[in-house]
């Protein structure tokens, strides 16, 4: 009995190591002075890359800020508009049709979606600027938000809404005192999930942004192309640290059925 | 048109809500498909000279196009098969240690990785001068880099599959474990046990079928997601065969404008495949069950 | 004559809390023993020990006069039924009922025949191909019975099987169960917190409180015992009777 327990915890540790190792690897690589074949471990370390990051006019720092701004905007707009519209969709008699339609843009490859929409973005003067990239991200994040909230607007919520109305509450009061508090947890989850959709996005961003809107993911790609692996590791670390910190506070913010 | 809209929506809030939805989620897809279709038929675009099927004929007779479709399915299905198998093993065999402590936390870590970072990592670890090659070298298993097997930019897509599995396997594991609790599976397998089912029979007839059946919609959507992935095959793939998303962008961005219609045709075929899969999924009972919940 | 179920000196504690102490019981063939008890009195634990889903701290369980303590639950020939029907959600009504036969690798013809017979007996005609989520509460419970009965287990353990049903369905199910138990000569332990149900269902009646089991020699003895609240109930109905007159 104890031996099977030991074998099980051994395998769990192997799995845990597989998942933790990449984080450690990226951090080490971002701190390595140089790390060449066949060294298993860098000979010397430097904090210079990390420190220049916070110096003035660091390109990478600007990308970090840009990514943050884009992701916060996308998350904010997608969550609120998704919350509001999903109610109208859920109570509509064509509910099933709307829910099904909302899956299409969400699961469709973002890069292919961007490819067929590129023309319209140019026409609307939205190619190659931050506004266009935010809109592009919203086109994926908003349907997700609708899907996520569709479960909230069920029979139970409807009964509660009717109850509030019979008690004399108007629509604004219903939102303020009932819907928003009830959906608080879900709103947070949606905010972080849509934040991450934008934070992680690469393909659509490079097309709609025409490579000019240099978010962090684009920086990673650029560094890989330049064979500057140390900076790629640094940019990668910047990408994964916020979600890992988030994970530390609440696993639910990351683990949601996104597919 | 106005009249039908008025009867479709009951009030202002509904009109605003559904209107916004149509604008953001439905209209772009329709417009996008329309544009690609017109372009592929030679009706619009920089090189357009009137209605023609020649682009379609050229695209459909191109071996690379068909290879790309096959390759896309191969990568997606292999990834999903490996991930489901390993996630089932992990969620059923080591569920207890995976629910607490560092191991419990670690399974969530890959969820914090964007695809581009996973691709970068796979490249760093798996290339011929990468971390694994160095391990082999240090242990004296290989004596020069060329002796290390190609794992990235390889013909079988090993790097692509490995990178996707790194993201999918922990997600499935966590998902299966949550289904195990949600669907009351431990009680159901106890029932099966008192009815005479051995541990193997419980696994084979109750536990695995229930999990897979409940997870089916999510697994299908994830398969679609892998089919449409871009960064991972872009960095870890090779020139040919290419996954469809990579092929579309390559043909779109080539110097010669003549491949643009073919790019749109590939995109259209991809969209058609996805729509078909989704349509079939929506028709299945398991999905409407999911929607009604 | 063989005794289908017998226990000697069963005891069980969770930490410092003694849930069962020195439980002795013995059932005759085709007999239903009802056990009355409040929730949390240890009746579910007793059933789980009998079914092998939990192991006792001390004592022995005999099925057909064989000590089954060392057997895995699946080899005990004792079926445990929960308050919830717990139907397998991925299988049809037919496959749920046939489940035990499939495990025993019985050939298709016999499976089909026996399962359809059971479906008729349970008055589930025409529902063979339904999925569990398309059934009402009473129908689910009947499928769950069928699934348990089809393999002819030596003993059936029922843990408040009608607890989730409305009064009307409940009394229908009680009748149906009595009839089937007679038809198939079933030996059963029936646990409930409802006095009326205990009297209705049991050939003999026991009650469990503070971990100890008392089995009454007759229904009269059960009714007269002060522990079970039967007297209070009688007084209640009588008082209403007086007031309305």
């Amino acid at each position: 009995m104890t031996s099977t327990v030991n074998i099980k915890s051994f395998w769990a540790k192997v799995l845990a190591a597989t998942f933790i190792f990449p984080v450690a690897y990226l951090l080490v690589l971002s701190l390595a002075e140089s790390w060449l074949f066949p060294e298993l471990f860098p000979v010397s370390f430097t904090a210079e890359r990390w420190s220049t990051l916070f110096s003035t006019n660091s390109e990478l720092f600007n990308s970090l800020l840009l990514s943050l701004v884009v992701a916060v905007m996308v998350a904010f707009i997608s969550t609120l508009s998704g919350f509001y519209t999903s109610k109208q969709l859920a109570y509509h008699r064509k509910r099933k049709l709307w829910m099904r339609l909302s899956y299409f843009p969400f699961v469709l490859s973002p890069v292919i979606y961007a490819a067929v929409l590129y023309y319209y973005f140019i026409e609307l003067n939205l190619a190659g600027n931050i506004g266009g990239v935010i809109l592009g991200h919203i086109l994926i994040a908003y349907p997700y938000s609708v899907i996520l909230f569709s479960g909230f607007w069920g029979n139970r919520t409807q009964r509660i809404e009717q109850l509030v109305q019979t008690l004399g509450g108007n629509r604004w009061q219903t939102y303020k005192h009932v819907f928003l508090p009830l959906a608080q947890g879900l709103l947070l989850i949606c905010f972080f999930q849509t934040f991450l959709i934008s934070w992680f996005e690469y393909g659509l961003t490079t097309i709609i942004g025409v490579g000019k809107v240099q978010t962090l993911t684009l920086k990673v790609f650029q560094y890989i192309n330049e064979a500057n692996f140390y900076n790629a590791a640094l940019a990668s670390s910047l990408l994964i640290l916020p979600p890992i910190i988030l994970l530390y506070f609440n696993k639910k913010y990351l683990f949601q059925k996104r597919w | 048109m106005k009249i039908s809209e008025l009867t479709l929506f009951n009030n202002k809030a509904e009109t605003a809500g559904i209107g916004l939805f149509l604008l953001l989620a439905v209209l772009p897809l329709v417009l996008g498909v329309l544009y690609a279709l017109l372009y592929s038929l030679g009706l619009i675009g920089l090189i357009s000279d009137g209605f023609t099927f020649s682009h379609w004929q050229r695209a459909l007779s191109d071996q690379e196009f068909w290879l790309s479709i096959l390759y896309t399915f191969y990568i997606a299905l292999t990834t999903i098969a490996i991930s489901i198998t390993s996630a089932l093993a992990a969620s059923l065999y080591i569920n207890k240690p995976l629910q607490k402590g560092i191991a419990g936390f670690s399974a969530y870590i890959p969820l914090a990785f964007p695809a581009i970072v996973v691709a970068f990592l796979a490249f760093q670890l798996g290339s011929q001068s990468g971390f694994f090659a160095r391990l082999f070298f240090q242990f004296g298993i290989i004596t020069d880099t060329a002796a290390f097997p190609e794992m990235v930019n390889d013909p079988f897509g090993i790097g692509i599959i490995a990178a996707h599995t790194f993201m999918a396997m922990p997600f499935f594991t966590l998902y299966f474990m949550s289904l195990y609790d949600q669907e009351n599976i431990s009680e159901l397998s106890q029932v099966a046990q008192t009815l005479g089912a051995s541990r193997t029979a419980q696994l084979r007839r109750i536990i695995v079928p229930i999990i897979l059946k409940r997870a089916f919609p999510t697994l299908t959507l994830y398969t679609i997601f892998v089919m449409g992935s871009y960064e991972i095959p872009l960095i870890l793939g090779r020139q040919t065969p290419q996954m469809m998303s990579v092929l579309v962008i390559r043909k779109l961005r080539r110097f010669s404008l003549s491949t643009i219609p073919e790019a749109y045709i590939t995109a259209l075929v991809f969209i058609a495949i996805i729509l078909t899969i989704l349509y079939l999924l929506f028709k299945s009972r398991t999905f409407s069950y999911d929607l009604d919940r | 004559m063989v005794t289908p179920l017998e226990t000697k000196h069963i005891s069980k504690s969770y930490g410092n809390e003694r849930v069962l102490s020195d439980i002795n019981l013995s059932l005759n063939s085709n007999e239903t023993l009802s056990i009355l008890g409040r929730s949390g009195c240890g009746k579910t634990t007793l059933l789980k020990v009998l079914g092998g889903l939990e192991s006792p701290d001390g004592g022995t369980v005999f099925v057909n006069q064989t000590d089954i303590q060392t057997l895995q639950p699946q080899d005990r020939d004792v079926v445990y039924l929960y308050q919830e029907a717990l139907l397998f959600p991925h299988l049809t009504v037919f496959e749920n009922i046939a489940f035990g036969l499939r495990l025993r690798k019985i050939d298709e013809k016999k499976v089909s025949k026996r399962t359809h017979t059971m479906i008729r007996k349970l008055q589930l005609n025409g529902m063979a191909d339904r999925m569990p989520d398309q059934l009402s509460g009473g129908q689910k419970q009947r499928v769950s019975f069928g699934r348990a009965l089809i393999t002819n287990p030596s003993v059936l353990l029922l843990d408040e099987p009608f607890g989730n049903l409305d009064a009307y369905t409940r009394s229908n199910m009680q009748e149906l169960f009595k009839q089937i138990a007679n038809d198939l000569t079933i030996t059963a332990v029936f646990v409930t917190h409802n006095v009326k149900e205990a009297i209705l269902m049991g050939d003999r009646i026991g009650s469990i409180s503070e971990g100890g089991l008392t089995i009454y020699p007759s229904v009269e003895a059960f009714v007269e015992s002060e522990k079970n609240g039967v007297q209070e109930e009688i007084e209640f109905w009588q008082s209403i009777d007086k007031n309305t007159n």
Side-chain angles (χ1 to χ4, degrees):
Chain A
M1 197 63 191
T2 40
S3 75
T4 48
V5 170
N6 283 338
I7 294 170
K8 285 183 181 188
S9 81
F10 168 77
W11 281 112
K13 277 175 194 151
V14 170
L15 212 55
T18 317
F19 298 146
I20 294 169
F21 172 74
V23 181
Y25 183 91
L26 286 176
L27 288 176
V28 169
L29 184 57
S30 74
L31 286 166
E33 180 119 49
S34 82
W35 192 1
L36 300 168
F37 189 88
E39 293 159 6
L40 260 188
F41 209 69
V43 190
S44 58
F45 289 94
T46 171
E48 205 192 309
R49 275 180 226 105
W50 280 90
S51 60
T52 51
L53 173 67
F54 299 103
S55 71
T56 45
N57 281 334
S58 153
E59 258 183 55
L60 195 54
F61 188 74
N62 291 340
S63 285
L64 178 68
L65 280 183
L66 179 67
S67 274
L68 261 178
V69 169
V70 170
V72 167
M73 291 285 287
V74 168
F76 194 74
I77 298 171
S78 306
T79 304
L80 286 186
S81 54
F83 184 69
Y84 179 71
T85 49
S86 77
K87 180 184 179 212
Q88 315 303 334
L89 299 171
Y91 293 161
H92 196 260
R93 64 197 151 81
K94 295 254 186 225
R95 170 199 162 95
K96 256 191 176 160
L97 173 72
W98 305 132
M99 287 307 133
R100 287 170 181 197
L101 282 174
S102 56
Y103 275 88
F104 289 109
F106 173 63
V107 296
L108 193 68
S109 170
V111 72
I112 289 183
Y113 201 24
V116 298
L117 286 176
Y118 182 56
Y119 166 78
Y120 299 101
F121 274 82
I122 296 176
E123 289 295 306
L124 295 169
N125 238 333
L126 285 167
N129 58 49
I130 180 172
V133 168
I134 290 175
L135 178 65
H137 287 188
I138 287 173
L139 291 184
I140 314 166
Y142 165 77
Y144 169 77
S145 163
V146 169
I147 296 169
L148 187 70
F149 286 123
S150 69
F152 175 76
W153 303 107
N155 291 333
R156 193 172 153 266
T157 314
Q158 204 163 20
R159 279 199 298 272
I160 293 174
E161 181 180 7
Q162 283 159 359
L163 180 70
V164 175
Q165 279 167 356
T166 59
L167 293 173
N170 62 28
R171 189 187 297 165
W172 165 242
Q173 287 168 321
T174 317
Y175 267 95
K176 191 178 163 212
H177 298 294
V178 184
F179 291 155
L180 291 177
L182 266 182
Q184 203 181 29
L186 206 56
L187 283 163
L188 265 180
I189 288 176
C190 187
F191 182 86
F192 287 124
Q193 285 286 314
T194 44
F195 176 92
L196 289 179
I197 288 176
S198 167
W199 186 253
F200 287 175
E201 166 49 43
Y202 170 77
L204 182 141
T205 315
T206 152
I207 291 180
I208 301 294
V210 208
K212 286 185 205 157
V213 183
Q214 291 265 326
T215 57
L216 269 182
T217 48
L218 265 77
K219 273 283 170 225
V220 174
F221 189 78
Q222 182 201 322
Y223 289 136
I224 297 174
N225 253 353
E226 293 167 357
N228 186 346
F229 299 132
Y230 307 107
N231 272 340
L234 176 61
S236 297
S237 304
L238 294 177
L239 270 169
I240 62 170
L241 286 180
I244 288 183
I245 293 167
L246 208 58
L247 186 56
Y248 180 78
F249 286 107
N250 193 340
K251 289 172 182 166
K252 269 199 192 141
Y253 294 150
L254 259 79
F255 178 61
Q256 268 296 312
K257 264 195 340 186
R258 230 184 290 158
W259 296 278
Chain B
M1 195 62 200
K2 269 248 163 85
I3 296 160
S4 71
E5 261 181 26
L6 281 177
T7 48
L8 189 60
F9 306 131
N10 294 321
N11 52 45
K12 253 194 238 162
E14 206 171 86
T15 318
I18 298 179
L20 186 64
F21 175 76
L22 293 175
L23 188 69
L24 283 178
V26 181
L27 186 69
L29 187 60
V30 174
L31 288 179
V33 168
L34 193 69
Y35 180 77
L37 200 62
L38 293 179
Y39 209 115
S40 75
L41 292 171
L43 291 168
I44 47 174
L46 295 166
I47 51 152
S48 129
D49 35 40
F51 179 78
T52 171
F53 278 120
S54 64
H55 301 309
W56 278 90
Q57 276 165 352
R58 189 146 33 97
L60 297 184
S61 59
D62 185 0
Q63 202 193 345
E64 192 182 23
F65 168 78
W66 293 106
L67 209 57
S68 171
I69 295 180
L70 280 181
Y71 192 66
T72 303
F73 274 100
Y74 156 74
I75 294 285
L77 294 177
T78 314
T79 302
I80 296 296
I82 294 173
S83 304
I84 289 178
T85 318
S86 50
L88 273 177
S91 61
L92 295 176
Y93 183 66
I94 50 175
N95 54 342
K96 285 218 181 83
L98 272 187
Q99 273 163 356
K100 50 177 193 248
I102 292 182
F105 184 77
S106 72
Y108 289 84
I109 289 179
L111 303 177
F113 276 74
I116 189 139
V117 175
V118 175
F120 171 56
L121 254 170
F123 184 80
Q124 279 289 306
L125 299 178
S127 73
Q128 286 186 323
S129 60
F131 187 79
F132 294 143
R134 296 177 195 196
L135 265 182
F136 274 55
F137 183 84
Q138 296 287 354
F139 285 109
I141 303 168
I142 56 170
T143 49
D144 72 312
T145 51
F148 190 73
E150 277 186 83
M151 294 211 293
V152 294
N153 311 119
D154 65 299
F156 301 106
I158 297 174
I160 302 174
I161 292 168
H164 274 306
T165 305
F166 174 78
M167 295 170 75
M169 184 269 180
F171 172 74
F172 289 176
T173 305
L174 294 169
Y175 180 46
F176 291 164
M177 288 200 298
S178 75
L179 277 185
Y180 192 89
D181 293 337
Q182 249 175 57
E183 299 294 305
N184 230 344
I185 289 178
S186 66
E187 288 207 318
L188 288 171
S189 62
Q190 269 193 3
V191 171
Q193 196 182 16
T194 72
L195 292 168
S198 63
R199 182 70 190 156
T200 330
Q202 289 165 44
L203 277 172
R204 205 163 53 87
R205 289 173 179 271
I206 303 297
I207 301 173
V208 173
I210 292 179
I211 290 181
L212 289 185
K213 197 166 180 202
R214 274 296 283 127
F216 182 73
T218 300
L219 296 176
T220 313
L221 293 177
Y222 201 99
T223 312
I224 295 177
F225 162 76
V226 176
M227 286 174 69
S229 65
Y230 179 62
E231 303 89 307
I232 289 178
L234 179 69
I235 292 173
L236 300 172
R238 46 166 59 193
Q239 196 71 6
T240 177
Q242 271 178 334
M243 284 182 76
M244 291 175 83
S245 46
V246 184
L247 186 68
V248 169
I249 302 308
R250 200 190 83 206
K251 289 201 162 173
L252 207 57
R253 286 186 161 176
R254 226 183 245 166
F255 246 168
S256 117
L257 297 172
S258 64
T259 56
I260 294 180
E262 282 175 61
Y264 283 127
I265 289 169
T266 314
L268 282 171
V269 170
F270 179 83
I271 293 173
I273 292 173
I274 302 307
L275 293 190
T276 312
I277 299 175
L278 274 180
Y279 174 74
L280 292 176
L281 178 66
F282 289 155
K283 263 181 48 179
S284 73
R285 236 181 72 82
T286 42
F287 192 81
S288 49
Y289 176 64
D290 223 28
L291 270 188
D292 292 338
R293 278 205 153 178
Chain C
M1 189 155 147
V2 205
T3 312
L5 180 71
E6 192 177 2
T7 70
K8 284 188 177 148
H9 314 298
I10 298 281
S11 64
K12 172 95 185 165
S13 308
Y14 292 119
N16 287 329
E17 195 193 350
R18 199 165 180 83
V19 188
L20 298 173
S21 62
D22 197 29
I23 304 281
N24 295 292
L25 61 83
S26 161
L27 259 76
N28 300 319
S29 191
N30 194 16
E31 184 184 41
T32 299
L33 169 70
S34 332
I35 298 181
L36 183 73
R38 292 191 187 86
S39 45
C41 69
K43 45 190 181 157
T44 299
T45 310
L46 175 61
L47 289 195
K48 288 202 163 172
V49 167
L50 297 179
L53 297 170
E54 295 211 21
S55 46
D57 301 337
T60 344
V61 181
F62 299 91
V63 171
N64 297 328
Q65 285 159 335
T66 325
D67 179 356
I68 55 156
Q69 216 50 67
T70 54
L71 293 182
Q72 290 286 316
Q74 62 263 36
D75 304 323
R76 290 187 169 203
D77 207 14
V78 173
V79 174
Y80 178 85
L81 281 178
Y82 294 75
Q83 182 167 0
E84 258 181 286
L86 286 176
L87 301 185
F88 302 132
H90 61 304
L91 300 178
T92 59
V93 165
F94 182 93
E95 284 303 326
N96 260 289
I97 294 177
F99 184 78
L101 302 177
R102 297 262 185 243
L103 289 177
R104 286 163 183 77
K105 302 207 164 52
I106 290 165
D107 72 64
E108 189 56 45
K109 260 191 198 153
K110 276 187 193 156
V111 170
S112 168
K113 202 176 147 222
R114 283 169 68 178
T115 309
H116 280 225
T117 314
M118 184 58 77
I119 287 176
R120 263 197 306 283
K121 235 181 215 143
L122 294 164
Q123 298 158 17
L124 287 167
N125 304 22
M127 308 212 168
D129 294 327
R130 296 240 181 130
M131 296 305 279
D133 55 357
Q134 298 169 288
L135 301 178
S136 72
Q139 290 166 341
K140 279 185 193 165
Q141 205 52 264
R142 270 181 273 164
V143 175
S144 150
F145 270 163
R147 186 176 63 182
L149 294 174
I150 201 155
T151 56
N152 284 326
S154 305
V155 181
L156 199 56
L157 307 171
L158 301 124
D159 192 351
E160 303 237 11
F162 310 135
N164 283 340
L165 304 177
D166 61 81
Y168 176 73
T169 317
R170 189 176 181 131
S171 74
N172 271 350
M173 290 292 295
Q174 286 165 344
E175 254 171 60
L176 184 73
F177 175 74
K178 288 219 78 144
Q179 187 194 328
I180 292 176
N182 255 326
D183 283 3
L184 302 175
T185 59
I186 288 162
T187 309
V189 180
F190 193 109
V191 159
T192 178
H193 65 260
N194 181 317
V195 176
K196 194 177 141 203
E197 190 169 70
I199 298 174
L200 209 60
M201 302 308 290
D203 299 311
R204 272 193 297 158
I205 305 174
S207 78
I208 192 165
S209 66
E210 281 152 28
L213 175 72
T214 322
I215 294 181
Y216 298 94
S218 65
V219 175
E220 288 75 22
F222 170 71
V223 171
E224 273 152 32
S225 164
E226 282 179 3
K227 282 200 291 191
N228 305 313
V230 182
Q231 287 302 334
E232 287 157 38
E233 188 137 334
I234 293 174
E235 278 159 27
F236 171 75
W237 290 109
Q238 279 172 346
S239 75
I240 287 186
D241 215 27
K242 272 178 210 150
N243 289 341
T244 47
N245 281 341

